[in-house]
Amino acid sequence: MKEIQLNVNGKDYSLNIDENMRLIDLLRDKLGLLGTKEGCGEGECGACTVIMDGETVTSCLVMAFQAHGSEILTIEGLESNGKIHPIQQAFIDVGAVQCGFCTPGMIMSAKALLDKNPNPTREEIREGISGNLCRCTGYNKIVDGVELAINYIEEGK
Amino acid sequence: MALEEVYKGENVDEVVELLDKYGKDAKIIAGGTDIVIDLRNNRIDPKVLIDISSIEELKGIKDKGEYIEIGAGVSFTQVVENPLFERNLYGLNKACHMVGSPQIRNKGTLGGNIANGSPAADSIPPLICLNSTLILKSVRGRREISIEDYYKDENEKIRPDELLVSIGFKKPKENQVLSFAKLGLRKALAISRLSIAILVELDEEGKIINIEVASGSLGKYPMRELELEQFLLGKKLEDSTVDEGVLVLQRAMEKRLAGRSTFPYKRVAVDRMFREALEEAMKYLDEVRL
Ligand code: FES
Ligand code: FES
């Protein structure tokens, strides 16, 4: 057992973890944050994407103890005052969600992209979500969703 | 997994002391993009894991005038975003940009790619062209090995008590350029990986007066393509020379890969990759001459 401190979605935690636990296990099993999904477990699909200290990471490839002292943002951390994030709203509005398994990771990648580059081209959006696989949508609706989110964010929606 | 102890390293001194204490039982973890998979597949089974991902002194890219030093904890994203690797070093930028996905580039490091000795380390050939040096530390002191020897020489490895702290190389001259080409495939198709890096300088008449070519996945490890270099040195880059150069490279790789199922494919693909890297290098050199 190892004790670590970290901040998840704005809350500080002090946790006893198993040495070989991964960040995704910590989030799902210890904290019950089930929005973060495990697909491949090998860094290929992006379903487990979270934002760690401002950058997207695949949480299946991060050991939990490595996150000691870090700030983690998961899909659950995007709502504020009971209102979902503009990217989430935009995904719903354009129909970018089918089965939804890829969606939380996809939205975290989109968020990291827009935080860095608030006005990306379609090409840049595709590149930004290139580490997230979706087996349902064919990606066009997802790119549409991110584009709409840019408007929503500008309008302060 | 029989992990008994995990450490979150705070500085290099602490880490080398842990390595001194645990030696072979310890494994360094930085970005984790290879190690976590290896741990879970039981390909490695360390008792101790030492994380170096939060050590600031390993995360810098230092411009030392004639030299550049890239800390072992520098992520691929950091390389891609650093203006030092824009102009005549853009081949290194391109190589790092073509690694994995944004998430993998945010965490994965050049240092990890080297220290894990992954045979398909696509980001390595540009570092070989630059004659990079690996800088190692242990409680015994500091040691340097050339990256080329590290790959080809059984005796030039990172010892169990040593930490790779940085990768250093001399900046190419303004009229030299480093270029890179790689088959852009995801891991799912990793069998057909292949990359080529070229560092080249021409004289006023357009003759090659300096050339280094390195390949990834054309042999057991990333390596210099000496026969091709020798063939090209002193020549002008006319179409016939390039065509012949391709044949020289194909003959060299055939000796290493003949009989492997991937050989026929790689033989064709290398033609394209070599030409792409060369064309990009020439484009840059034309621009600086104007
Ligand atoms: S589950 Fe982490 S990338 Fe697929
Ligand atoms: S919506 Fe099903 S995987 Fe993307």
Side-chain angles (χ1 to χ4, degrees), chain B residues 69-196:
Chain B
E69 232 179 85
I70 301 179
V74 167
S75 69
F76 294 111
T77 300
Q78 274 178 280
V79 174
V80 171
E81 291 179 351
N82 194 303
L84 271 179
F85 309 114
E86 269 163 18
R87 298 169 42 75
N88 62 344
L89 277 170
Y90 95 96
L92 187 59
N93 175 322
K94 188 174 172 192
C96 291
H97 200 171
M98 289 185 83
V99 171
S101 61
Q103 293 95 315
I104 300 290
R105 290 195 292 277
N106 286 341
K107 276 263 138 198
T109 62
L110 275 172
N113 223 315
I114 295 167
N116 291 328
S118 151
D122 309 299
S123 56
I124 305 306
L127 293 174
I128 294 182
C129 286
L130 291 164
N131 286 307
S132 303
T133 303
L134 306 182
I135 298 153
L136 312 172
K137 273 199 185 152
S138 69
V139 292
R140 292 173 288 123
R142 177 190 151 108
R143 194 167 74 96
E144 294 186 359
I145 51 182
S146 101
I147 192 168
E148 200 188 339
D149 293 344
Y150 169 72
Y151 281 103
K152 73 173 184 215
D153 186 342
E154 271 308 307
N155 300 314
E156 291 280 20
K157 296 296 172 215
I158 302 175
R159 298 179 189 139
D161 67 338
E162 285 177 326
L163 176 70
L164 172 64
V165 289
S166 61
I167 303 132
F169 52 83
K170 216 172 151 191
K171 281 186 198 165
K173 290 186 280 181
E174 217 11 59
N175 58 345
Q176 298 182 324
V177 62
L178 175 68
S179 69
F180 178 77
K182 171 184 152 181
L183 277 181
L185 298 172
R186 296 184 72 92
K187 199 158 84 194
L189 298 161
I191 184 171
S192 37
R193 279 187 160 174
L194 200 170
S195 64
I196 296 280

Side-chain angles (χ1 to χ4, degrees), chain A residues 2 44 49 56 66 116 132, chain B residues 8 30 51 81 106 186:
Chain A
K2 170 112 184 155
E44 281 291 297
T49 302
T56 53
Q66 293 185 286
K116 243 186 195 178
N132 296 77
Chain B
K8 180 121 181 114
D51 174 52
E81 291 179 351
N106 286 341
R186 296 184 72 92

Side-chain angles (χ1 to χ4, degrees), chain A residues 24 37-49 58-61 131:
Chain A
I24 188 168
K37 307 293 183 222
E38 177 160 11
C40 64
E42 296 201 335
E44 281 291 297
C45 74
C48 65
T49 302
T58 45
S59 61
C60 69
L61 294 188

